[in-house]
Each structure stands twice: as structure tokens, then as C-alpha cells.
């Protein structure tokens, strides 16, 4: 009981502590800052309220948006279908019911983990070198890691939602498939449908990022507009994207409210519908064929087999410095993403502020992290602090949405009660709604940590730091041994980050249960 009294008052303060990193980041930006970009940022802000309405510009943006949607919907449908199947096959409960063993699930999880660890942008750049510019390159680049990520989530959900009816059904002599359909599937329907709906938003943002790096779609248009300082054209594309994201989110929420099962027919039909749509847009969706000549393939394979250049390539980079920069950017971004939403909520603690904060978090999710980094480069020199800030602001949009959804689901009654007892507005919000959702929020923050680690690949390519920058340099010079080493190190770092996140989540859950 004494432990409960000591720790419970500090619980809502824990999500605020990472926000202190903003002080250090802002001090670095003030040191490295310059005033040459303020006028450009003013033009950027003005473009939000005066976007371009040129019919030619809007036509080009709509065409790019359709390409992005086709890539996102196809990759979402394919990864959802394959991910659900692989998730069942990699769950311990599935194999216990089917064969009474666990080892097939353990083996499959180990085999799938490296595919999950490589960022979709890295997949896209690697596949682009092999197959050239093809619509399937972007689809596969998103579908491969998303399938394995979906499988991981599905497997965890299956193992966590073990129904007490399963032993009863098995004892009654039901077949394994009957046990799964009646005892396993019903409790999984809602969480699985919720996660599938969330992945469409993620796939859309991933397709946008691939476009930023030259794989086509709306992201390419936004990147060209920003680099040419055509902010009005850029905001026209961002507003079109925002409207699309809101419409898709409302549509999927409505389907899930009617019945969580309704989302599954949509998933099944989405790849075929997107394929037909992409064909009408003249998007190259024919089966990809390798564009490298046989001589190039044989040279690369021989060099990889011979291994004479492998050691030399590994010695070209100072790995401690590169890995340290990647980890440092991850920590900065994770602290900003976790601490900024509760800090902003305490600055303006009211029910009316939730709507304004929803707009802020939506805007931060809307602008891709590489474009945020380019905007910040107008004000300061490249640095790890700037890269971490750009990545942290983007992910704070995701964390802010999670925090607001949790508060809306739990309600504001506890804060209203404290305010009625004489507490100030900030204290009533801190020890009311924020305290109610702190455990769930911190649990999600530990999961978000490994997502941020994977995303350092895209921000490093812009900020000139970390493994992402080294990968871009290696790809541009066709240094395949160095590419192999960088991808391998990135995968190992991501897997270590996932393991650390799982350990932190387990420790936090055990502490929470002890309270």
C-alpha cells in the first residue's frame, strides 16, 4: 500500500518527462540557426490559406493522389490478407490447438523477423535497382514489411485472447478447426479489424514517403513543389491528401461501428479493385522484370560469393559513430513524440482545446518527416538534433492522436470531479484524464520506439546523419557490399530495438499490476 501511495501521484508525470528534451533540442537549433529562412516559412504558412487552384496543377496533383491511393490500397489489402494468415501460423495458440506443439510458431517468427526489420523505403530503393521504375516496386516495398508487421500483431493478439472455451471444446471432442472458428475467432474480430483499419492510414503515409524519394505519386509532386519553393502548389496537394485521409478514416470507422466483420470483405476486394484502377491510370503494374543485364548480375553475385571486398567495405565506415548517430536521433525523436502531446494538453487544459489539438496532430501526421526536415533546414544547419526534431514532430502527431482517442474513450469525468473539489484546471487534467490513460499511453510509446528506429532511415537521408545517409551514398555509387552491410546493421538495430521495447513493456506492465 505504501508503494501505491508513493508511485501513483507520479504516474501522470512520467509521460511529461521526455518532453524536457525539447529544451536541449531548441538550444542546439538556436546555436545553429540562421534567419535566412523566416521569409520562406512565412510564405509556406501563407500557402496553407491560399493554396493553388490552377486547373493544371490540381489535375496533376489529383493524378498523383490516385497513384498514391492505388499503391496504398493494393499494399494494404495484400499485406492484410497475408499478414492474417502468417499471424495465425506464427501464433503459439494456433499450433497448440492444431498439433499440441509450439516450435513451428517460434521458427516462423524467427524467419520473418529480418523482413520486418528493414524499412519500406529501403525495400523500395533496393527493388528499384533490380526492377526499375515499376508500380509493383512501391507495392511490394510496402507490402513486404507490412505483412510481417501485421503477422506479429495478429500472433500477439491470438496469444493474448485465449478464450476459456477452448479447453472445453477440445475436451468435448471438437476438431481443431471447429475449436478455432468457435473459440478463437470471435474475440479476435474487433481488435484485428481495428488494427487493419489503422494500417490503411499507415500504408497511405508510406506510399507518400516512397513518392518523396522518387517512386511516383503525390509524394513526388510535394517534394518537387517544396524544392522549387512553390508552397501554394504543395499545400494544394496536402489539403487533397488531408481530405482523403479523413474520408477513408470515417468510412472505415463507420464499417467497424456497423460490424467489425464488414472490413474483411473490403480487404479481400481491395487488391483487385486497386489493380483495375491502376490500369486505368496507366500505372505500370505488369509483372516486373529485372532490368539489370546478365553480366551485371553475374558480377554482383560473384563479388558477394567471393567476399574479397566484403571486409574492405565494412572498414570504410566508422560504425560506432554511424550507429551512435542513429540511436541518438531515435532517442531524441522518441522523447519529443512521447512528451509533446501531454505537454500541449496541459498548456491549454479544456474540452474545447481537444478539437484544436486534433488539427495540430493531424497536420503533423500529414506532412512527411523528410519534408518537415527540409522545412527546418530553412532555419538551421543540418544536425542530429534537427533530424530528431523532424522525426519526433511527425510521430508526435501519431502519439497525440492515440492520447486523444484514449481520453475520449475513458471520458473526462475524473477531471470534472477533481475540478469540482477545488483543483485547478491543470491539476484536474493532470491527475484526472491524463492519469487515467498514462499506463496505456506509455505502453504504446514503447511500441512506437522501434517504429521510430526504423524511420531513422528516411530522416538520415535528408539530415546527412546515421545509417540512412550512408545507405543513400552506397546505393548511388552501386557499392553493393556496403549496401549489404548497412541493411544488415539496420535490421539488427531494429530487432534489438523491438526486443528492448518488449522488455520495457513487460517491466511496465508488471509494475502496473503490482500497483
Amino acid at each position: 500500500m505504501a508503494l501505491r501511495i508513493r508511485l501513483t501521484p507520479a504516474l501522470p508525470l512520467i509521460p511529461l518527462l521526455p518532453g524536457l528534451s525539447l529544451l536541449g533540442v531548441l538550444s542546439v537549433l538556436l546555436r545553429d540557426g540562421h534567419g535566412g529562412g523566416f521569409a520562406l516559412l512565412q510564405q509556406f504558412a501563407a500557402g496553407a490559406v491560399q493554396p493553388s487552384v490552377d486547373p493544371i496543377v490540381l489535375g496533376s496533383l489529383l493524378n498523383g493522389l490516385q497513384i498514391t491511393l492505388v499503391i496504398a490500397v493494393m499494399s494494404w489489402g495484400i499485406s492484410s490478407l497475408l499478414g492474417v494468415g502468417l499471424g495465425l501460423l506464427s501464433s503459439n495458440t494456433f499450433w497448440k490447438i492444431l498439433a499440441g506443439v509450439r516450435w513451428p510458431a517460434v521458427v516462423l517468427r524467427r524467419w520473418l523477423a529480418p523482413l520486418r526489420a528493414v524499412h519500406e523505403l529501403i525495400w523500395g530503393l533496393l527493388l528499384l535497382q533490380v526492377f526499375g521504375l515499376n508500380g509493383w516496386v512501391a507495392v511490394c516495398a510496402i507490402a513486404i514489411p507490412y505483412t510481417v508487421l501485421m503477422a506479429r500483431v495478429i500472433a500477439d493478439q491470438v496469444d493474448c485472447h485465449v478464450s476459456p472455451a477452448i479447453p472445453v471444446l477440445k475436451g468435448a471432442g471438437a476438431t481443431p478447426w471447429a475449436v478455432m472458428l468457435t473459440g478463437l475467432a470471435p474475440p479476435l474480430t474487433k481488435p484485428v479489424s481495428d488494427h487493419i483499419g489503422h494500417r490503411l492510414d499507415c500504408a497511405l503515409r508510406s506510399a507518400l514517403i516512397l513518392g518523396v524519394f522518387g517512386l511516383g505519386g503525390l509524394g513526388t509532386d510535394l517534394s518537387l513543389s517544396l524544392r522549387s519553393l512553390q508552397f501554394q502548389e504543395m499545400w494544394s496537394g496536402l489539403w487533397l491528401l488531408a481530405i482523403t485521409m479523413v474520408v477513408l478514416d470515417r468510412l472505415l470507422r463507420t464499417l467497424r461501428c456497423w460490424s467489425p466483420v464488414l472490413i474483411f470483405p473490403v480487404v479481400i476486394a481491395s487488391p483487385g479493385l486497386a489493380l483495375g484502377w491502376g490500369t486505368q491510370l496507366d500505372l505500370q503494374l505488369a509483372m516486373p522484370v529485372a532490368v539489370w543485364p546478365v553480366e551485371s548480375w553475374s558480377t554482383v553475385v560473384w563479388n558477394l560469393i567471393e567476399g574479397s571486398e566484403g571486409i574492405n567495405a565494412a572498414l570504410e565506415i566508422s560504425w560506432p559513430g554511424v550507429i551512435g548517430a542513429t540511436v541518438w536521433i531515435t532517442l531524441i525523436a522518441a522523447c519529443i513524440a512521447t512528451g509533446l502531446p501531454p505537454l500541449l494538453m496541459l498548456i491549454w487544459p479544456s474540452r474545447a482545446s481537444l478539437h484544436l489539438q486534433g488539427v495540430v496532430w493531424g497536420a503533423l501526421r500529414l506532412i512527411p518527416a523528410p519534408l518537415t526536415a527540409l522545412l527546418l533546414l530553412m532555419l538551421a544547419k543540418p544536425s542530429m538534433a534537427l533530424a530528431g526534431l523532424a522525426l519526433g514532430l511527425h510521430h508526435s502527431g501519431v502519439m497525440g492522436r492515440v492520447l486523444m482517442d484514449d481520453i475520449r474513450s475513458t471520458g473526462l469525468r475524473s477531471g470534472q470531479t477533481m475540478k469540482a473539489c477545488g483543483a485547478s484546471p491543470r491539476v484536474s487534467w493532470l491527475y484526472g484524464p491524463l492519469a487515467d490513460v498514462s499506463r496505456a499511453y506509455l505502453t504504446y510509446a514503447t511500441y512506437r520506439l522501434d517504429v521510430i528506429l526504423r524511420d531513422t532511415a528516411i530522416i538520415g537521408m535528408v539530415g546527412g546523419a546515421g545509417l540512412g545517409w550512408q545507405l543513400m551514398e552506397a546505393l548511388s555509387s552501386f557499392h553493393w557490399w556496403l549496401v549489404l552491410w548497412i541493411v544488415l546493421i539496420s535490421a539488427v538495430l531494429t530487432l534489438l530495438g523491438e526486443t528492448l521495447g518488449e522488455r520495457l513493456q513487460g517491466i511496465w506492465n508488471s509494475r502496473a499490476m503490482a500497483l
Side-chain angles (χ1 to χ4, degrees):
M1 181 62 68
L3 181 65
R4 183 183 184 92
I5 294 174
R6 287 197 302 268
L7 292 184
T8 301
L11 178 61
L13 297 175
I14 297 176
L16 298 172
L17 294 178
L20 297 176
S21 62
L22 280 170
L23 298 176
V25 172
L26 292 177
S27 65
V28 173
L29 294 182
L30 289 175
R31 183 197 66 191
D32 297 338
H34 53 78
F38 281 109
L40 292 176
L41 284 182
Q42 290 176 355
Q43 296 177 23
F44 174 78
V49 295
Q50 293 180 334
S52 175
V53 292
D54 188 334
I56 298 177
V57 172
L58 293 178
S60 176
L61 292 173
L62 284 172
N63 184 70
L65 177 61
Q66 291 182 77
I67 293 174
T68 299
L69 276 174
V70 168
I71 293 172
V73 171
M74 285 192 67
S75 58
W76 172 67
I78 293 172
S79 62
S80 297
L81 292 173
L82 296 178
V84 170
L86 289 174
L88 289 174
L89 293 176
S90 57
S91 67
N92 296 325
T93 305
F94 175 85
W95 286 103
K96 284 182 181 179
I97 295 174
L98 187 64
V101 295
R102 294 176 51 188
W103 65 265
V106 176
V107 172
L108 184 58
R109 285 196 184 202
R110 295 292 183 269
W111 277 98
L112 292 177
L115 300 177
R116 183 179 68 245
V118 180
H119 193 275
E120 53 267 20
L121 177 59
I122 298 178
W123 279 112
L125 294 175
L126 293 176
L127 293 174
L128 182 65
Q129 303 299 322
V130 178
F131 298 110
L133 191 58
N134 186 286
W136 281 106
V137 168
V139 172
C140 293
I142 299 174
I144 291 173
Y146 273 40
T147 295
V148 187
L149 285 169
M150 176 71 73
R152 177 194 177 192
V153 173
I154 297 299
D156 292 341
Q157 291 290 336
V158 171
D159 292 337
C160 291
H161 290 82
V162 179
S163 173
I166 292 178
V168 177
L169 292 171
K170 292 176 67 176
T175 63
W177 297 109
V179 172
M180 293 180 196
L181 289 175
T182 57
L184 193 61
L188 291 174
T189 303
K190 188 179 186 308
V192 170
S193 65
D194 289 343
H195 185 73
I196 289 176
H198 170 68
R199 297 310 295 180
L200 178 57
D201 181 75
C202 297
L204 186 59
R205 285 187 278 116
S206 294
L208 189 70
I209 289 175
L210 291 178
V212 170
F213 286 90
L215 289 179
L218 183 61
T220 301
D221 295 328
L222 295 179
S223 179
L224 291 175
S225 297
L226 177 60
R227 293 176 187 274
S228 59
L229 305 181
Q230 299 297 323
F231 298 124
Q232 291 180 320
E233 296 180 4
M234 178 182 174
W235 271 106
S236 298
L238 290 175
W239 283 122
L240 289 175
L241 179 64
I243 294 171
T244 303
M245 294 174 69
V246 170
V247 170
L248 289 176
D249 183 67
R250 296 295 182 186
L251 178 61
L252 293 178
R253 283 178 183 268
T254 302
L255 288 176
R256 296 200 301 271
C257 288
W258 286 348
S259 175
V261 181
L262 290 177
I263 198 171
F264 295 104
V266 176
V267 171
I268 295 172
S270 59
L273 294 175
L275 181 60
W277 190 6
T279 303
Q280 293 180 358
L281 292 172
D282 294 329
L283 183 62
Q284 297 180 12
L285 288 172
M287 292 305 296
V289 179
V291 297
W292 277 1
V294 176
E295 294 81 4
S296 299
W297 275 104
S298 60
T299 301
V300 172
V301 172
W302 173 253
N303 288 335
L304 292 178
I305 293 175
E306 184 182 18
S308 58
E309 300 179 4
I311 298 178
N312 294 330
L315 297 177
E316 292 181 14
I317 294 180
S318 175
W319 293 107
V322 174
I323 294 173
T326 301
V327 174
W328 190 239
I329 292 172
T330 302
L331 292 176
I332 294 173
C335 288
I336 294 173
T338 304
L340 187 58
L343 275 177
L344 184 59
M345 189 163 290
L346 285 183
I347 292 175
W348 188 5
S350 68
R351 183 192 295 267
S353 69
L354 293 180
H355 300 288
L356 179 59
Q357 291 177 38
V359 175
V360 172
W361 306 133
L364 291 176
R365 292 197 312 274
L366 183 65
I367 303 177
L371 298 187
T372 304
L374 290 176
L375 290 173
L376 291 175
L377 285 173
M378 297 178 184
L379 297 176
K381 296 183 293 186
S383 65
M384 287 186 290
L386 185 143
L389 178 61
L391 193 59
L393 289 175
H394 178 74
H395 283 276
S396 67
V398 180
M399 295 299 296
R401 179 181 179 180
V402 170
L403 182 62
M404 290 180 59
D405 289 345
D406 288 345
I407 288 177
R408 287 195 179 105
S409 63
T410 56
L412 305 176
R413 185 174 302 174
S414 58
Q416 294 170 352
T417 302
M418 294 190 66
K419 191 174 181 179
C421 294
S424 66
R426 287 187 175 83
V427 172
S428 61
W429 272 79
L430 179 62
Y431 289 102
L434 282 177
D436 295 338
V437 302
S438 290
R439 289 191 179 97
Y441 181 74
L442 290 172
T443 299
Y444 187 80
T446 58
Y447 160 74
R448 203 71 199 172
L449 178 65
D450 61 79
V451 179
I452 294 174
L453 178 59
R454 291 175 69 248
D455 281 356
T456 54
I458 62 175
I459 207 65
M461 293 180 180
V462 176
L467 290 168
W469 175 257
Q470 297 294 337
L471 178 64
M472 182 64 78
E473 292 291 315
L475 284 172
S476 62
S477 60
F478 301 99
H479 196 339
W480 297 112
W481 260 115
L482 189 56
V483 170
L484 180 63
W485 280 113
I486 293 173
V487 171
L488 179 62
I489 295 299
S490 299
V492 171
L493 274 179
T494 303
L495 293 176
L496 289 176
E498 289 184 1
T499 303
L500 176 62
E502 291 174 355
R503 294 286 180 88
L504 290 175
Q505 187 172 344
I507 292 173
W508 177 251
N509 290 337
S510 62
R511 294 280 180 88
M513 292 179 63
L515 291 176

